[in-house]
Amino acid sequence: NGAMTITIRGAHFATAPVVYLSGANGRIDLNAVILISSNEVQAQVPAGLPAGAYAIVVCNGAQCGALPDAFVVASDSSAT
């Protein structure tokens, strides 16, 4: 699986949010986080994530919000 950009919509996003995925493999920080507006953030998910379901977590300073099982990586059926 390759890198991809995701859009996260919500409310009250602040300047310089921290965005990461949380799953069985721990925390995976997302790259190129861009605050589009107080209601929208874009971030790049790195390539090569293990298959599984991940929560998307957005932090504004010490305050974080998570959406469980919001990002799913399917297994690559062509892998040998």
Side-chain angles (χ1 to χ4, degrees):
N1 57 24
M4 67 182 313
T5 299
I6 61 170
T7 300
I8 304 159
R9 292 185 176 89
H12 310 293
F13 294 136
T15 303
V18 173
V19 183
Y20 61 92
L21 300 178
S22 179
N25 297 303
R27 176 179 166 157
I28 300 165
D29 290 321
L30 302 189
N31 305 312
V33 177
I34 300 170
L35 178 67
I36 304 298
S37 71
S38 64
N39 298 319
E40 187 174 76
V41 173
Q42 287 185 340
Q44 186 177 52
V45 177
L49 292 179
Y54 296 84
I56 296 176
V57 182
V58 179
C59 296
N60 293 316
Q63 183 177 3
C64 296
L67 183 60
D69 299 329
F71 190 82
V72 177
V73 178
S75 62
D76 184 356
S77 60
S78 66
T80 56

